[in-house]
Amino acid sequence: MSARGPEEPGRRVAPPIPVLLYHAVMDDPPEWIAEFTVTPREFAAQLDAIGACGRTPVPVGALVAHLAGREPLPDRPVVLTFDDGFADLPGPTAEALAGRSMPATAYLTTGALTRSGGGSLLPPAPMMSLAQAPLLEQYGMEVGGHTVTHAQLDTLPAAALRSELVDSRKVLEDVLGHEVAHLAYPHGYNSVRVRRAARAAGYESAVAVRHALSSGRDEPYRIARLILRRSHTVRDIERWMAGEGARVAPFPDSLPTVGWRWYRRGRAAVRGPEFAG
């Protein structure tokens, strides 16, 4: 069986679209984010591998426009995304992308990018400032929301959920001067209720994690991504660029995923909102 899974009779299998999820790009990350950090040298090698494979980088907005039937995509697209807003993003990371003419999408946790922290649940780490968000756009990056505090959205009551989605969007729109249309769920945690809330808050799309390749048939409010870990190599990137090494979305949540969500909801009812990570 191929990585794309079995083809159902009479059903056309959509070609895989890799959507990569990066966090920090640095040599000495805090321990809590080290597992999801790549070094600048590794990052450069991975970008060069993407360029060599013939994939065309596009921002999330282009993928979403394709899913909505508004615009075609290049023959072999790839999407690069960056969560949270670490300090490297508006500097060497954005420069590495711009130097290779690779557009990307950055999802910013607004509470972690202000001096007060805004009640962010993210542990301490070198972060960019909110005022640097327009600089990302100058480098050719698309900016989306990643909530205020980085909480587990699928465990929050309705009012808190709406605040996480609406308040962060407003803050970003104020600093950027235009609409913010795209969202990333912290750690990918979502549910039918969260997806409905994202749509109601005015977002046109939302990305999850799912550890899977996306496709032209993916769901606009839980687009699948592949999360980069420090153990991943250029060979992993090459396999994903070939449309291999992971299943292809869309697909329903597994029973373990559903069970884990209910467990976290029960824990949050006792402890209160918790960091999604």
Side-chain angles (χ1 to χ4, degrees):
M1 184 188 301
S2 74
R4 302 184 185 190
E7 183 173 354
E8 298 177 11
R11 179 181 177 183
R12 178 178 171 272
V13 175
I17 300 173
V19 181
L20 305 187
L21 163 54
Y22 286 94
H23 287 86
V25 180
M26 59 181 71
D27 286 310
D28 298 304
E31 184 56 35
W32 70 270
I33 196 61
E35 176 64 23
F36 303 111
T37 297
V38 299
T39 68
R41 181 176 179 179
E42 291 166 341
F43 183 60
Q46 291 171 4
L47 294 185
D48 289 342
I50 291 169
C53 78
R55 290 269 178 181
T56 301
V58 298
V60 162
L63 174 57
V64 173
H66 175 71
L67 295 178
R70 297 195 304 268
E71 297 179 14
L73 284 171
D75 287 340
R76 302 185 70 239
V78 58
V79 182
L80 307 177
T81 69
F82 297 80
D83 281 11
D84 299 330
F86 290 92
D88 61 273
L89 187 57
T93 297
E95 291 168 3
L97 292 163
R100 295 167 173 79
S101 299
M102 291 183 168
T105 301
Y107 295 103
L108 305 182
T109 306
T110 56
L113 308 187
T114 60
R115 182 166 300 186
S116 66
S120 170
L121 296 170
L122 283 174
M127 306 298 291
M128 61 178 280
S129 70
L130 188 62
Q132 290 177 301
L135 179 59
L136 297 178
E137 295 189 329
Q138 293 176 28
Y139 275 112
M141 299 185 76
E142 176 181 61
V143 175
H146 198 39
T147 75
V148 178
T149 72
H150 208 279
Q152 299 179 17
L153 296 183
D154 56 348
T155 69
L156 298 180
L161 172 59
R162 175 172 171 77
S163 178
E164 290 280 357
L165 299 175
V166 173
D167 293 355
S168 58
R169 184 171 186 248
K170 183 179 185 304
V171 166
L172 289 173
E173 290 179 341
D174 286 346
V175 74
L176 294 171
H178 61 74
E179 180 184 41
V180 170
H182 308 295
L183 168 72
Y185 304 120
H187 209 64
Y189 289 146
N190 70 95
S191 64
V192 171
R193 182 177 69 95
V194 171
R195 296 193 290 273
R196 288 173 179 164
R199 183 190 294 269
Y203 292 100
E204 186 181 358
S205 79
V207 291
V209 179
R210 313 212 81 190
H211 309 293
L213 293 151
S214 184
S215 75
R217 295 180 52 252
D218 208 351
E219 302 167 82
Y221 286 92
R222 61 168 173 179
I223 295 169
R225 294 190 291 174
L226 294 154
I227 191 167
L228 268 294
R229 298 175 181 270
R230 59 183 170 184
S231 58
H232 284 125
T233 66
V234 165
R235 177 56 185 148
D236 293 308
I237 296 291
E238 291 171 341
R239 291 182 68 203
W240 292 338
M241 295 305 109
E244 301 171 352
R247 66 188 305 187
V248 181
F251 49 83
D253 285 337
S254 66
L255 287 178
T257 295
V258 174
W260 176 235
R261 182 181 303 136
W262 280 105
Y263 169 78
R264 289 184 293 101
R265 285 178 179 171
R267 188 174 61 188
V270 176
R271 300 181 181 178
E274 294 185 304
F275 167 59

